[in-house]
Amino acid sequence: MAYTFWSLKGTYAQNVLQSISPFFPDHKVPEAFAKKIQFYIQFCLMYNDWLSSIRGFSMTEEERLLTSYMAACSPLTDEYQDSTNQKITIASFSELEHPFAKSASLLLQKIKKKSNHAEEVMSSLKNLLEIQNVSLAQKEEGKSKDWF
């Protein structure tokens, strides 16, 4: 059962990685970053599957896709901010010429296209970006620590 679970979740991660790979040099997401995205997606899918089972329902295909897209947006935006030290908003994604920003922009477009609940998803992403912008501001002020 565990093998089936992880291989199924891996398919969602592979689909996301294939979607965003054209934005990276040689059309390949760096291996360490690909592993990070896979972990985020697999963990979020596992967690949401668990929450759904508590409610007595299975996740729909739409919920699985949206979960994978949202899960990938978190490390993409985080890495973008870490590499550029720039604050970002949902609106600014499409204007930025950076592989992480372009990848996140593509996933946002997919969310808007596939979701019946795009507003709620965008609100969650907006909250994520606000938290990351606060974190960046703390880093600039010397209040945050590097944990690794």
Side-chain angles (χ1 to χ4, degrees):
M1 182 172 166
Y3 173 78
T4 305
F5 177 81
W6 284 106
S7 62
L8 171 66
K9 303 311 177 231
T11 344
Y12 289 97
Q14 289 306 315
N15 288 340
V16 168
L17 290 169
Q18 286 175 350
S19 296
I20 66 174
S21 65
F23 300 117
F24 290 87
D26 299 326
H27 297 276
K28 184 164 173 47
V29 179
E31 187 176 342
F33 190 67
K35 286 181 181 181
K36 186 175 185 178
I37 288 177
Q38 287 173 323
F39 173 78
Y40 271 71
I41 291 172
Q42 290 173 337
F43 179 81
C44 289
L45 286 170
M46 181 179 66
Y47 182 75
N48 285 351
D49 274 341
W50 176 72
L51 289 176
S52 294
S53 70
I54 289 174
R55 294 185 340 217
F57 300 99
S58 295
M59 286 178 69
T60 65
E61 183 64 18
E62 176 190 344
E63 290 170 328
R64 289 180 194 279
L65 286 170
L66 291 174
T67 296
S68 348
Y69 299 154
M70 279 294 292
C73 280
S74 183
L76 286 166
T77 56
D78 183 51
E79 290 294 324
Y80 172 78
Q81 285 186 312
D82 287 349
S83 65
T84 64
N85 288 323
Q86 292 180 348
K87 293 181 180 180
I88 50 176
T89 63
I90 291 174
S92 68
F93 278 127
S94 59
E95 302 165 4
L96 300 170
E97 293 294 323
H98 191 283
F100 296 131
K102 286 182 170 232
S103 298
S105 180
L106 173 70
L107 296 177
L108 291 176
Q109 290 172 11
K110 288 179 176 262
I111 290 169
K112 289 177 184 175
K113 183 179 177 182
K114 294 187 180 287
S115 176
N116 296 327
H117 306 284
E119 278 187 40
E120 292 94 344
V121 174
M122 290 299 143
S123 177
S124 295
L125 185 59
K126 182 180 175 194
N127 291 338
L128 168 73
L129 294 177
E130 288 172 1
I131 290 167
Q132 288 181 328
N133 286 335
V134 168
S135 176
L136 182 62
Q138 288 175 342
K139 182 179 177 184
E140 290 170 356
E141 294 171 8
K143 292 182 180 178
S144 68
K145 299 177 183 176
D146 290 328
W147 294 101
F148 302 102

